[in-house]
Structure formats: structure tokens, C-alpha cells
Amino acid sequence: MTTVLLVEDDPAISEPLARALGREGYDVRAHATGAEALADVRGVDLVVLDLGLPDMDGLDVAREIRAAGNRVPILILTARTDEVDMVVGLDAGADDYVTKPFDLDEVAARVEGLLRRAGRTQQAVSTVLQVADLTLDVDSHDVRRGGEEITLTNTEFELLRYLMENVGIVLSKQKILDAVWSYDFGGQVNVVELYISYLRKKIDADRPALIRTVRGAGYILREPQ
């Protein structure tokens, strides 16, 4: 059974959400504090994480999960609606977010979408993609450039995989959004720009650029000229 770690201190939110996710067939482990969540995160399939926890900021919980090398998908629940807060949350390692108040069905749909994206790589045929000195192992999630290991979040990995599967092809922001995020983020193409910038910092930093911007058209991954 797929296990969801729900981290929310408000019973008025956590209890109905846990019931809704349970009806979808998930095994829900609920906690009210960040410390409890960090002690129980190992082995779960997805984390639903509130930012306003009583003992620590939810963003710090997300950062600690990622710092431990855990790539589990993280869905943030937040009352913060500013785009800057969204960017900070994604930078902390979250994969998606839902703003309060939210519809329980919307959260369930986001959970399903994140699990589907994470599960695609687990079901794929074993293969290693390579462009120049960049390699991506679909099964192990091992990504290297010039032999140096590069750590990516699930969403960064899926974005890079899509670019590498379409090497030499110009991909529009909307096409990337549809392929990698499906309906997540409500069709906001700015999330593509954000994650492209994340990838560039990890993949192209101090190296010949592989990810190129084609003005007015989108992005392309190709060997350095």
C-alpha cells in the first residue's frame, strides 16, 4: 500500500484530509510536528507538509528531508499565496504546493499526480541516457556530468529526463509543462522557467552549456558547439 506522511497540526484540516486520502486507498501516517515527521519519513512514498508547524517551519522540514538524500515527493500546504513564497518552497525541495483553503479532491489529485510522476521512473525499462558527458540512469536516478554525481529532486530529474529524451529538439514552455507537470501548478509556465534555472545551476555550472534558450520558442538540450 502507498504510504502518505501527513504533517499538519490543525485537526480541522488533518483529520478530514487523512480520511479523504484513506478513501483513495493510501495508508496515511499523520503527525502534528516537524520533529515527529522527520523521525517517521523513512520509507514513505509521499509527504503532505504544512508550512505553519508549531515546532519548526515546514520549509526547514523539507530542507532536512532533502539534505538526507531523500527524494520522496513533497506536497506543501500553505496559506501563503505570494509567488516569492512559492519559489522559496520549491527551492527548499518541494515538488508542488496547494494554497489554503483547498478542496480535498484537489489535494488527492495532486498527490496522485506526484506519485504518478515519481512512479514513471520505477516502472521504466532500464536505460541510461547520455548527451555529451552528461548521463542519466532512469532506474537508479543516478545523474552525472563528467563523472561527477549530481543530486536532483524528482521534478528536476523528470525535467532533465524529458529534455534528454528530446535532445536537439526545441521544446516550448507549454509543451514541457504538459509533459512534466501535467495539470499541476494550474498551467503556470513560470514554473518551467524556475526549474530550468535550477537545472542550469546543477548541470551547466562552470561547464559548457547543454541547456539553451531559444528566444520566443522555448528550450533545447544539445551538445556544446
Side-chain angles (χ1 to χ4, degrees):
M1 181 178 291
T2 301
T3 302
V4 173
L5 185 67
L6 174 59
V7 193
E8 167 63 66
D9 66 308
D10 186 349
I13 296 176
S14 64
E15 292 176 5
L17 183 52
R19 288 195 297 269
L21 292 173
R23 287 194 296 269
E24 295 294 323
Y26 302 118
D27 176 26
V28 181
R29 289 163 23 189
H31 295 290
T33 69
E36 291 173 352
L38 289 171
D40 195 31
V41 70
R42 187 172 182 179
V44 304
D45 298 291
L46 183 138
V47 178
V48 179
L49 176 64
D50 180 42
L51 294 188
L53 299 174
D55 60 334
M56 60 193 299
D57 193 304
L59 293 177
D60 291 329
V61 176
R63 291 188 182 100
E64 289 199 30
I65 291 173
R66 294 297 183 236
N70 193 334
R71 295 190 180 94
V72 61
I74 299 175
L75 173 65
I76 280 180
L77 306 178
T78 178
R80 309 171 192 176
T81 57
D82 191 277
E83 184 175 348
V84 173
D85 289 325
M86 180 196 80
V87 171
V88 171
L90 296 174
D91 199 33
D95 297 282
D96 198 359
Y97 78 106
V98 177
T99 56
K100 299 177 182 179
F102 50 75
D103 183 83
L104 294 175
D105 289 339
E106 178 187 6
V107 177
R110 296 296 184 92
V111 167
E112 181 183 358
L114 286 173
L115 288 170
R116 184 184 65 250
R117 276 163 37 202
R120 281 212 310 258
T121 57
Q122 296 170 1
Q123 299 166 2
V125 175
S126 178
T127 184
V128 175
L129 303 176
Q130 182 165 358
V131 178
D133 60 346
L134 174 67
T135 60
L136 179 149
D137 189 313
V138 172
D139 287 341
S140 69
H141 273 220
D142 183 73
V143 177
R144 296 176 183 271
R145 181 147 191 208
E148 179 183 344
E149 184 176 3
I150 298 172
T151 301
L152 302 178
T153 66
N154 281 321
T155 304
E156 291 168 348
F157 181 89
E158 288 299 325
L159 174 56
L160 180 60
R161 176 183 175 181
Y162 184 62
L163 293 172
M164 294 182 73
E165 288 176 337
N166 292 275
V167 61
I169 299 173
V170 177
L171 303 168
S172 69
K173 295 175 186 176
Q174 188 61 54
K175 190 170 184 178
I176 294 172
L177 187 72
D178 292 342
V180 178
W181 281 268
S182 299
Y183 51 78
D184 300 338
F185 287 92
Q188 299 178 26
V189 294
N190 62 334
V191 76
V192 176
E193 300 172 7
L194 183 64
Y195 269 88
I196 287 289
S197 71
Y198 289 164
L199 274 184
R200 281 175 164 155
K201 290 175 183 177
K202 294 183 177 183
I203 301 299
D204 287 342
D206 301 319
R207 304 179 178 98
L210 293 175
I211 303 172
R212 306 292 185 89
T213 300
V214 180
R215 189 176 299 277
Y219 302 98
I220 184 173
L221 187 144
R222 64 187 182 197
E223 295 195 11
Q225 296 179 338

